[in-house]
Amino acid sequence: MWFAVITLFPEMFASVRDFGITGRAISRDQVSLTCVNPRDFTHDAYRRVDDRPCGGGPGMVMLAEPLADAIRHAKSLAVAQGLLSVPVVYLSPQGQRLNEAGVKALQQYDGMILLCGRYEGIDERLIQLYVDQEWSIGDYVLTGGELPAMVLMDSVIRRLPDVMGDNASAEQDSFVAGLLDCPHYTKPDKFEGLDVPDVLKSGHHLKIEKWRFLQSMARTEKRRPELLKDVVLSKQQKKWIAEASREAAATEQNLTKSKDLKYSHD
């Protein structure tokens, strides 16, 4: 997948290019990353990319012209590589909230041109004429679009085929199936008085799958219950939930009997 990032601070993207899963994907030519600096498309001695907002007010607004030239340059790079579907994506708190469904949709493109704003934002005419999509990583404001661009890139790159060591890892992440992820454990079996659950050491794959699913359901219900309304369960998962409900009811009934028996002896 091909990425071109329009940014005043291309050096920030060394964290994507040089480290971790994204860095390995780039080194293996599974992903290509190019940074385009709008200052390289200015025509004055000061390389000005911003000016005061029309109508007054605080802050500065990024100029449309150098950004438009930077985007046109990025598009020419995409055409030279034969890439067909390469939308211009503006990272903005006013954009659509990025979620797992959005990540899956974005990974279908040949590439993306990511536009990183700064200051109070960018000239609205540039957005109207050149931006295809706007995405936000949350309802808060950052000093620039670089960090959101890195978040978007990381979330998309890790889901590309063969990027992660095990493709199943991405499929088991939180939100992929609409649920939060289950708890995970590794060696040693005992750590500061806490044990790895016995089922995970049983070698019984179906029991492990059931345990992980029920843990995901319980964790989602407790922490993010609003997610459950969109979850589509398989017949097997519905069966597991029914079994767990019966077991919980039986346990509660036994506890009640034990209490009643204790009180009768007292």
Side-chain angles (χ1 to χ4, degrees):
M1 194 169 195
W2 182 84
F3 292 92
V5 184
I6 312 297
T7 173
L8 295 174
F9 302 99
E11 59 274 14
M12 289 181 66
F13 288 84
S15 61
V16 174
R17 185 187 64 243
D18 299 337
F19 301 98
I21 289 173
T22 56
R24 289 197 299 271
I26 291 171
S27 67
R28 296 170 182 167
D29 294 326
Q30 295 168 301
V31 173
S32 176
L33 171 60
T34 298
C35 290
V36 180
N37 194 330
R39 292 194 190 278
D40 295 335
F41 299 88
T42 55
H43 304 287
D44 67 301
Y46 298 100
R47 304 179 74 198
R48 182 182 293 275
V49 294
D50 62 329
D51 209 331
R52 301 291 298 177
C54 293
M60 305 291 279
V61 177
M62 294 188 74
L63 297 166
E65 289 183 346
L67 290 176
D69 287 341
I71 292 171
R72 281 193 286 265
H73 174 70
K75 287 185 174 183
S76 71
L77 296 177
V79 170
Q81 296 191 47
L83 304 176
L84 300 177
S85 56
V86 185
V88 177
V89 176
Y90 177 39
L91 285 308
S92 162
Q94 299 181 37
Q96 182 179 348
R97 179 85 66 84
L98 186 66
N99 56 20
E100 186 63 28
V103 171
K104 291 181 70 174
L106 290 169
Q107 77 177 91
Q108 305 305 316
Y109 293 116
D110 294 332
M112 282 176 269
I113 298 171
L114 303 180
L115 177 58
C116 302
R118 279 271 157 176
Y119 316 121
E120 292 299 311
I122 64 179
D123 192 305
E124 183 67 22
R125 293 166 295 180
L126 187 283
I127 299 174
Q128 293 174 346
L129 294 171
Y130 287 89
V131 170
D132 300 307
Q133 302 179 26
E134 288 188 52
W135 287 93
S136 166
I137 63 168
D139 296 338
Y140 47 88
V141 178
L142 299 171
T143 55
E146 284 78 12
L147 291 176
M150 287 184 241
V151 168
L152 185 148
M153 290 175 64
D154 188 283
S155 62
V156 170
I157 290 171
R158 69 189 305 278
R159 286 192 56 82
L160 297 176
D162 302 321
V163 164
M164 298 184 68
D166 184 347
N167 288 330
S169 294
E171 294 302 323
Q172 294 175 4
D173 287 337
S174 293
F175 306 113
V176 172
L179 300 172
L180 299 183
D181 201 2
C182 65
H184 294 282
Y185 299 84
T186 188
K187 296 177 181 179
D189 288 351
K190 296 181 181 294
F191 173 71
E192 296 189 4
L194 297 178
D195 297 343
V196 173
D198 289 336
V199 65
L200 298 180
K201 299 181 286 184
S202 68
H204 195 299
H205 297 300
L206 188 60
K207 288 183 178 180
I208 293 172
E209 183 181 356
K210 175 183 177 180
W211 182 88
R212 285 174 170 166
F213 166 71
L214 292 175
Q215 289 290 315
S216 290
M217 282 290 297
R219 182 164 285 191
T220 304
E221 185 173 17
K222 180 179 180 180
R223 301 182 183 183
R224 295 289 303 278
E226 75 280 5
L227 296 175
L228 293 175
K229 63 182 175 61
D230 296 321
V231 173
V232 178
L233 301 175
S234 67
K235 290 183 179 179
Q236 180 65 75
Q237 290 170 336
K238 291 177 181 178
K239 180 181 177 182
W240 286 338
I241 291 175
E243 290 173 352
S245 297
R246 288 195 296 269
E247 291 170 3
T251 300
E252 181 65 27
Q253 187 176 23
N254 289 335
L255 287 173
T256 301
K257 288 181 179 179
S258 297
K259 289 179 180 179
D260 290 343
L261 182 61
K262 178 180 182 295
Y263 293 145
S264 66
H265 285 307
D266 291 344

